[in-house]
Amino acid sequence: MGNQSETGKPIASELKLLTSHELYHQLFGCAIIAMAIVSLDGRLLKVNASLCRLFGYTEEELIGQHIQEFSHLDDVETYAELCDQTFRGERESSPKENRYVHKDGSMIWGMVQVSFIRDTDAHPNFAVVQIQDVSERKRLEYKLEESRRSYQSQLNHNHNQLILNAVSEGMFGIDEHFGTTFWNKAAECLTGYTYEEMVGKNPYLVLTRACGTNEDLQIKKETVLNRTMLEGVCDCSNEIFYKKNGDSFPVEYMTSPILDQDQIIGVVLSFIDITERRRTEELLRRSDKMSLIGQLAAGVAHEIRNPLTTLKGFMQFLHQGAANKKEYYDIMMSELERIELITTEMLVLAKPHFIHYQPKSIENIIKSVITLIETQAIINNIQFVVAMEKHLPLVLCEENQLKQSFINLLKNAMEAMPDGGQINIQLFSVGDKAVRVLFHDRGHGIPQDALARLGEPFFTTKEKGTGLGIMITNKIIEDHHGQFVVESKVGEGTVVSVTLPST
């Protein structure tokens, strides 16, 4: 391709703008996953340190090279297929395994995913390629497959343990009776439990502290492995595991069936500690939260100035000995309470906190959000019309995170209506297990090709946006086991639906 995008804007300037952003350094330069920014013809424009380590080359050696030069000869078509998927407007290309050749000639297995950074007209400018090194896992799978073929009735524990102990992921296996068949060294290091302590037990129940609780909870925990055991379906999810000493830590795990002559004889579960990943996500949320507070500051200052003016006037009346002092006191107290409410909401939103889910009223959360943002809405000639179903159930949530996500959504709705107008907010029950919140604006709407990419980092339809607000909002709703859906038509507006499980 040339030096300009399809819109005529120089690619070099767009790339310089993107890479000069502080978030670029945090999310790209410091990422553990190997990442590269690639031109549409496949040339490497920017690479991070993780990619240099993965391929064994310096940054100077990589820049300008075609990314397929590092692919294994049998896998050169994978990158083209991924690009084609993304060009067709799919939300996100499905990750695919691809082989690469290290500088020393060794082969690397990578889980590769491609997404595009587009301009405001949704034309692609360049691609972001992410490669997660899965060589260790592939080697393990290959060795496990070799081992399975050599046995007819059961796994050879001693031989497989040598293989399993070589990987950094925690791994354990269970048989058809949910008893432990193997337990690698990484699992021992991460949890503090030894193989001998797990023999005869279901390790998943031990690590999630389901044992000894009520029968319904134990059955629920067992179904996580039952689906893989009975149907052979691989499953991937997040969970909280507990160490032997009682400490907890978040994990991402994957279950896979163990086959013997096409018969499922057990399940292997691999897990990794995602504490650092969660910390990074929390830093992003706090950054987005402080950005929101800065944007709300002007409206809040205006809202506080009005009651302060009123208070100042009545103080002057009282100083001059005005009559009907009680009526003045009541008005002054009302204004002071208004100031207190606004400052309290701002402090709660900004205050660092530990994630602690509690039953909360979704009605009160929405009211608090409107208190913070309604002055800015009035300045922009926007009215909020709220319809709440009575006696809504509580939702189990982290209140500040939900406030942050709802403010993000309302600000987006307001920015989509530069000429003012009405934003409808509806709250109602969905069956007896969920509560839904709808935000309906009458803005300019979002094109379908852009709608499919909402939530991607650095993709935005705003001139000065980063795309991180929707990404963080989506992540918050996902962490609350909720659903986040956006529907939009150009010229008609946008409806955002947030569904949260109730207590």
Side-chain angles (χ1 to χ4, degrees), residues 359-363 389-396 427-436 500-503:
K360 294 290 182 179
S361 165
I362 194 71
E363 303 103 304
E389 189 177 285
K390 293 183 179 180
H391 308 300
L392 287 172
L394 302 178
V395 295
L396 191 64
L427 290 81
F428 54 91
S429 298
V430 181
D432 58 353
K433 295 184 178 180
V435 176
R436 182 166 295 161
L500 297 165
S502 58
T503 56

Side-chain angles (χ1 to χ4, degrees), residues 38-106:
V38 184
S39 65
L40 297 185
D41 63 357
R43 301 288 173 182
L44 295 169
L45 303 177
K46 290 286 182 180
V47 297
N48 67 357
S50 296
L51 187 78
C52 294
R53 287 193 296 271
L54 182 66
F55 287 170
Y57 293 88
T58 64
E59 182 178 356
E60 292 74 18
E61 291 174 325
L62 290 172
I63 298 300
Q65 298 296 320
H66 199 288
I67 190 169
Q68 291 199 38
E69 293 180 13
F70 305 98
S71 292
H72 190 278
L73 289 177
D74 294 338
D75 290 345
V76 292
E77 298 298 324
T78 301
Y79 179 80
E81 291 175 3
L82 288 171
C83 292
D84 182 60
Q85 281 184 341
T86 312
F87 266 120
R88 289 199 301 266
E90 297 178 9
R91 177 181 174 85
E92 189 176 33
S93 62
S94 300
K96 290 190 177 181
E97 291 181 349
N98 195 39
R99 287 170 290 180
Y100 297 93
V101 180
H102 192 274
K103 185 176 182 179
D104 62 12
S106 60

Side-chain angles (χ1 to χ4, degrees), residues 201-247:
K201 300 175 182 177
N202 183 333
Y204 183 83
L205 298 184
V206 174
L207 294 176
T208 56
R209 294 288 170 92
C211 292
T213 59
N214 64 70
E215 184 178 350
D216 290 340
L217 179 58
Q218 185 157 329
I219 292 173
K220 179 181 178 182
K221 295 288 187 181
E222 286 179 343
T223 58
V224 174
L225 299 178
N226 271 338
R227 188 160 177 260
T228 303
M229 183 74 77
L230 299 176
E231 303 175 23
V233 177
C234 295
D235 209 352
C236 184
S237 187
N238 294 341
E239 184 61 88
I240 298 296
F241 279 1
Y242 290 85
K243 300 181 181 181
K244 184 179 179 180
N245 63 7
D247 293 342

